[in-house]
């Protein structure tokens, strides 16, 4: 190995061989298109996972079954971890992460969940119905990020795919709980 030559990131994400004596003082800046696309895509995914955490916490507070409550709390913790992972990735890429807040859409979904539980006499099944609906939207959003965002770098795509698998597993579990029917009319 020649220690006088170093692989250096190029402007298009490729690498080039540069002699050490010609090495710039800092790495080349990531193209603004990459930063904007990554920031926008990950910003939406971060908001979505944060909203998912809040939705799971809300649902856990309003179900009667202790086992279901524990599982919903577990999913909330997983979403918090995913959100932190996505924010960390943006930070590492030199992109600014969005400020976390509850989106209007998520607030409306939780309000509808509340109204629905009132109308169904606090039925755990109705809460699971709404949690599953939110999870289905999350799966679609991550699928869209993977298939409709061609400018994501390989590391961004890999991370998004990894998170997508976690979201998909959560959705499958929630759907199986919902479809089991054992949570109907829980006093």
């Amino acid at each position: 190995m020649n220690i006088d030559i170093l692989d250096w990131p190029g402007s298009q994400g490729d690498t080039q061989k540069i002699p050490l004596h010609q090495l710039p003082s800092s790495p080349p800046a990531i193209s603004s298109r990459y930063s904007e696309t990554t920031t926008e895509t990950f910003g939406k995914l971060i908001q979505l996972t944060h909203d998912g955490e809040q939705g799971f916490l809300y649902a856990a507070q309003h179900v009667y079954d202790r086992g279901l409550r524990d599982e919903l709390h577990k999913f909330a913790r997983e979403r918090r971890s995913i959100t932190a992972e996505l924010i960390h990735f943006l930070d590492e890429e030199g992109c600014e992460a969005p400020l976390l807040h509850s989106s209007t859409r998520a607030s409306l979904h939780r309000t509808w969940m509340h109204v629905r539980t009132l109308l169904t006499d606090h039925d755990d099944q109705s809460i699971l119905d709404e949690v599953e609906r939110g999870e289905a939207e999350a799966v679609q959003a991550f699928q869209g990020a993977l298939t409709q965002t061609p400018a994501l770098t390989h590391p961004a795509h890999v991370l998004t795919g990894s998170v997508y698998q976690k979201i998909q597993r959560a959705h499958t579990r929630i759907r199986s709980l919902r479809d089991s029917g054992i949570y109907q009319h829980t006093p």
Side-chain angles (χ1 to χ4, degrees):
M1 179 174 151
N2 186 348
I3 60 170
D4 295 332
I5 296 186
L6 183 68
D7 285 336
W8 192 254
S11 60
Q12 300 299 317
D14 55 346
T15 59
Q16 54 189 348
K17 302 276 187 200
I18 296 184
L20 286 178
H21 70 278
Q22 294 179 359
L23 194 63
S25 59
S26 62
I30 298 171
S31 74
S32 61
R33 180 170 185 259
Y34 166 74
S35 297
E36 288 172 17
T37 301
T38 301
T39 301
E40 181 180 330
T41 300
F42 274 60
K44 289 176 184 175
L45 298 179
I46 288 166
Q47 185 63 56
L48 181 72
T49 57
H50 177 71
D51 287 343
E53 175 193 355
Q54 298 305 305
F56 279 124
L57 289 173
Y58 180 86
Q61 292 171 352
H62 292 89
V63 295
Y64 290 103
D65 185 88
R66 179 171 295 191
L68 180 56
R69 185 178 315 125
D70 291 345
E71 194 145 9
L72 293 169
H73 277 292
K74 178 188 81 162
F75 286 125
R77 286 189 304 273
E78 181 181 60
R79 289 300 156 86
R80 185 178 315 120
S81 174
I82 289 170
T83 302
E85 189 175 5
L86 294 171
I87 289 171
H88 178 74
F89 179 82
L90 276 184
D91 288 344
E92 291 291 310
E93 295 299 320
C95 301
E96 190 172 327
L99 296 175
L100 292 178
H101 64 284
S102 185
S103 71
T104 303
R105 182 180 174 107
S107 295
L108 288 172
H109 187 231
R110 285 191 298 276
T111 300
W112 172 244
M113 196 182 315
H114 177 71
V115 169
R116 187 163 177 198
T117 58
L118 290 174
L119 294 173
T120 59
D121 198 27
H122 294 286
D123 181 16
D124 287 358
Q125 183 69 40
S126 64
I127 291 174
L128 274 173
D129 289 343
E130 290 306 313
V131 170
E132 191 280 331
R133 190 170 66 114
E135 287 302 282
E137 289 180 17
V139 166
Q140 287 178 339
F142 273 86
Q143 282 174 339
L146 285 168
T147 60
Q148 299 171 5
T149 312
L152 289 181
T153 62
H154 180 69
H157 198 272
V158 168
L159 175 58
T160 305
S162 170
V163 171
Y164 168 70
Q165 289 176 350
K166 292 175 187 176
I167 301 288
Q168 197 171 34
R169 277 193 301 271
H171 179 238
T172 300
R173 177 65 180 148
I174 293 297
R175 188 176 48 221
S176 71
L177 290 170
R178 180 204 63 185
D179 293 347
S180 72
I182 62 175
Y183 297 103
Q184 290 183 341
H185 308 294
T186 305

